[in-house]
Amino acid sequence: MAATSPTWVFGYGSLIWNPGFAYDARVVGFVRDHRRVFYQGSTDHRGTPQFPGRTVTLEHQPGATCWGIAYKIREEDKQTALEYLEVREKQYDEKIHLDLYTDSSPKVPAVENVTVYLATTNKESNKNYLGPAPLEEMARQIYLAEGPSGPNKEYVFKLEDALNKLGVVDPHVQELANAVREYSDAKLSK
């Protein structure tokens, strides 16, 4: 009987601070040619169908890197973990496989073929794709949106904090977190 290769899942959003499934190992690293963007609407976690929140997805961009955490799932936990992820990530309409790199091995992947859930721009398969918007508009939407998993702004701040703990500065996350804080300050000063 041939040995099966391990299953790895890459977290670049809430999976960084809250994987929610059993895993055997975790590796901090990055995927190439993709950047993290707040372009996916969330109607089931950080917003509602009437007022979607914004969560991250990956956008293909040659030369870009997106840092996160890859989790190795034990064979005996695989079915449970993948069933859980299919529900949790159900608004992401595509799974791709990318190589994960770490700063200590820039030419050779640390882990090959990690599974990555992402939201495409295809409005037929992804009805919740919101796409880009002006920073102030995204900040306002994030500040106001709230869903079953909590306020959308909490998601942004937890992602910012989780990345900071990894020693990663993501300019898009940082800009948006600052814009949400500015929007909040403006609301409080009125």
Side-chain angles (χ1 to χ4, degrees):
M1 189 162 106
T4 57
S5 59
T7 300
W8 288 82
V9 174
F10 181 64
Y12 58 90
S14 62
L15 289 177
I16 294 174
W17 74 85
N18 180 25
F21 56 87
Y23 58 89
D24 195 32
R26 67 191 274 275
V27 176
V28 175
F30 62 90
V31 295
R32 289 185 169 153
D33 298 327
H34 289 83
R35 71 184 193 118
R36 182 181 2 246
V37 290
F38 279 86
Y39 293 175
Q40 176 64 6
S42 174
T43 60
D44 62 342
H45 286 293
R46 297 295 180 162
T48 63
Q50 297 76 26
F51 199 94
R54 280 184 176 265
T55 56
V56 291
T57 186
L58 294 183
E59 179 180 72
H60 184 262
Q61 184 181 56
T65 58
C66 177
W67 283 85
I69 297 177
Y71 299 96
K72 180 181 176 187
I73 302 170
R74 288 191 311 243
E75 194 59 36
E76 60 266 27
D77 296 325
K78 184 175 170 179
Q79 183 176 348
T80 303
L82 294 180
E83 285 173 2
Y84 167 78
L85 286 166
E86 287 301 315
V87 172
R88 178 173 170 169
E89 306 296 323
K90 69 180 180 264
Q91 293 193 339
Y92 290 73
D93 60 320
E94 189 170 35
K95 279 187 292 224
I96 61 173
H97 293 88
L98 298 171
D99 292 338
L100 182 88
Y101 296 86
T102 62
D103 55 357
S104 61
S105 59
K107 300 218 181 318
V108 178
V111 182
E112 293 180 337
N113 292 318
V114 296
T115 300
V116 182
Y117 290 83
L118 76 112
T120 69
T121 61
N122 182 337
K123 282 297 212 174
E124 286 184 29
S125 60
N126 182 10
K127 298 189 181 344
N128 292 314
Y129 182 76
L130 297 172
L135 187 65
E136 296 75 22
E137 185 181 315
M138 288 197 297
R140 178 185 173 280
Q141 183 177 5
I142 288 167
Y143 179 81
L144 296 172
E146 187 163 347
S149 296
N152 197 184
K153 61 186 174 191
E154 177 185 72
Y155 173 92
V156 175
F157 297 144
K158 282 188 170 189
L159 179 55
E160 176 190 39
D161 183 56
L163 290 172
N164 286 339
K165 286 178 179 167
L166 296 178
V168 174
V169 176
D170 183 314
H172 181 63
V173 174
Q174 201 65 60
E175 277 182 351
L176 200 48
N178 289 337
V180 171
R181 279 191 275 276
E182 286 172 20
Y183 186 86
S184 176
D185 291 346
K187 294 289 284 179
L188 293 173
S189 66
K190 285 187 178 181

